[in-house]
């Protein structure tokens, strides 16, 4: 399903409500929410709605989608830091309910195994909410990725390493990422992709109108029985 909203604000309202609905329907929901600029407003609205409706997140589990390798959780710009400030702290989520990749771990393979085991035990994920990279990546599933992989370590595309600088105050060496695999994302009960702005228009056109293949990992979402693609008018400009 594709929905096109007149404004980023309206898109964010809808995405926020999707998260709230998931938790209302299942107070023990397992959520996987992407970091990034796109869902920022949706998360603010979601937290405001949760507070307004006295909705408890006590039983909810959060699984990290991805992280920059070499960037610790305390660094502004890490995916963990982003979600911690916007969601975990405001909703008083306990540490035990958060399963996130540590990009500073000495053994990154063990990190992947830990998250794979967590998903096996607690999953499948009920709702995964993702943004899209301008090269079509989802999480850090870059173009060409094997869609059968679980959690894995990725050599970042030059585009991703470049665009990723926007999250950090100082220039960072971004060469690798650690990410859930497409198979884990696709096994989620629902997958919501959000994209806004003209900078996403070309890749959204490829995602929606091109072949479904690992050349544009986001295109796989078209095959998901509960896949939702939420766009503002600008991101939908080339459809
Ligand atoms: C980043 C992250 C993704 C994110 C995407 C889009 O590199 N790895 O998880 O969803 O790119 O980011 P933004 O929403 O800032 O455009």
């Amino acid at each position: 399903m594709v929905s096109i909203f007149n404004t980023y604000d309206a898109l964010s309202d809808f995405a926020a409500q999707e998260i709230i609905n998931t938790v209302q329907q299942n107070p023990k929901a397992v959520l996987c929410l992407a970091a990034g600029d796109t869902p920022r407003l949706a998360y603010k609205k979601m937290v405001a709605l949760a507070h307004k409706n006295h909705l408890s997140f006590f039983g909810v589990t959060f699984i990290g989608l991805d992280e920059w390798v070499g960037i610790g959780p305390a660094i502004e710009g890490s995916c963990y830091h982003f979600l911690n400030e916007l969601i975990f702290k405001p909703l008083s989520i306990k540490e035990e309910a958060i399963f996130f990749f540590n990009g500073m771990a000495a053994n990154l393979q063990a990190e992947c195994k830990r998250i794979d085991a967590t998903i096996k035990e607690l999953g499948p994920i009920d709702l995964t909410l993702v943004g899209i990279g301008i090269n079509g990546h989802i999480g850090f599933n870059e173009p060409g990725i094997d869609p059968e992989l679980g959690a894995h370590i990725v050599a970042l595309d030059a585009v991703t390493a470049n665009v990723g600088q926007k999250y950090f105050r100082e220039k960072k060496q971004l060469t690798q990422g650690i990410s859930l695999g497409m198979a884990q994302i696709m096994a989620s009960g629902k997958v919501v992709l959000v994209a806004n702005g003209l900078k996403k228009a070309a890749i959204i056109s490829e995602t929606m109108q091109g072949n479904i293949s690992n050349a544009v990992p986001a295109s796989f979402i078209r095959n998901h029985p509960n896949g939702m693609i939420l766009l503002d008018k600008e991101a939908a400009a080339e459809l």
Side-chain angles (χ1 to χ4, degrees):
M1 183 197 107
V2 184
S3 294
I4 300 169
F5 298 86
N6 276 330
T7 61
Y8 172 58
D9 194 73
L11 178 161
S12 303
D13 275 327
F14 190 95
Q17 195 60 57
E18 275 299 317
I19 304 170
I20 295 287
N21 291 348
T22 304
V23 175
Q24 273 172 338
Q25 281 158 19
N26 178 7
K28 292 189 170 170
V30 178
L31 304 180
C32 174
L33 305 178
D37 288 336
T38 315
R40 190 185 292 274
L41 183 59
Y43 296 159
K44 285 190 182 157
K45 287 174 179 282
M46 183 274 282
V47 166
L49 278 172
H51 285 152
K52 187 174 149 214
N53 299 327
H54 306 290
L55 178 64
S56 168
F57 274 63
F58 186 74
V60 173
T61 302
F62 289 85
I63 307 240
L65 175 68
D66 56 5
E67 190 54 279
W68 306 96
V69 168
I71 306 287
I75 298 199
E76 192 179 335
S78 72
C79 298
Y80 178 84
H81 187 275
F82 176 93
L83 292 171
N84 195 35
E85 293 301 316
L86 272 168
I87 298 180
F88 304 151
K89 277 195 205 165
L91 291 178
S92 309
I93 307 296
K94 293 176 288 136
E95 245 175 69
E96 306 89 84
I98 303 169
F99 297 88
F100 223 92
F101 294 111
N102 177 2
M104 291 292 278
N107 187 343
L108 293 170
Q109 283 298 349
E111 273 302 277
C112 293
K113 284 202 180 125
R114 180 174 68 85
I115 298 293
D116 281 345
T118 303
I119 294 182
K120 264 212 182 105
E121 191 194 330
L122 304 174
I125 297 162
D126 293 293
L127 171 69
T128 298
L129 187 146
V130 294
I132 179 171
I134 55 171
N135 63 356
H137 76 212
I138 292 296
F140 279 134
N141 289 275
E142 299 279 34
I145 192 69
D146 174 355
E148 301 303 325
L149 286 181
H152 60 282
I153 300 148
V154 190
L156 296 177
D157 249 29
V159 182
T160 304
N162 234 332
V163 174
Q165 296 296 334
K166 69 176 175 170
Y167 304 118
F168 301 95
R169 286 178 193 271
E170 292 154 16
K171 189 156 171 39
K172 295 280 178 200
Q173 273 282 75
L174 303 174
T175 52
Q176 287 184 303
I178 183 165
S179 180
L180 292 193
M182 281 314 300
Q184 291 160 320
I185 295 169
M186 291 297 283
S188 305
K190 189 177 254 191
V191 181
V192 175
L193 182 149
V194 288
N196 75 301
L198 274 179
K199 61 186 180 303
K200 298 285 171 76
I203 193 61
I204 285 297
S205 151
E206 277 188 60
T207 300
M208 302 304 301
Q209 291 159 338
N211 292 333
I212 297 179
S213 88
N214 66 353
V216 180
S219 64
F220 287 119
I221 295 175
R222 284 160 56 196
N223 277 341
H224 193 286
N226 280 316
M228 286 180 123
I229 298 183
L230 310 180
L231 310 171
D232 74 349
K233 267 196 311 209
E234 282 77 24
E238 292 184 28
L239 294 183

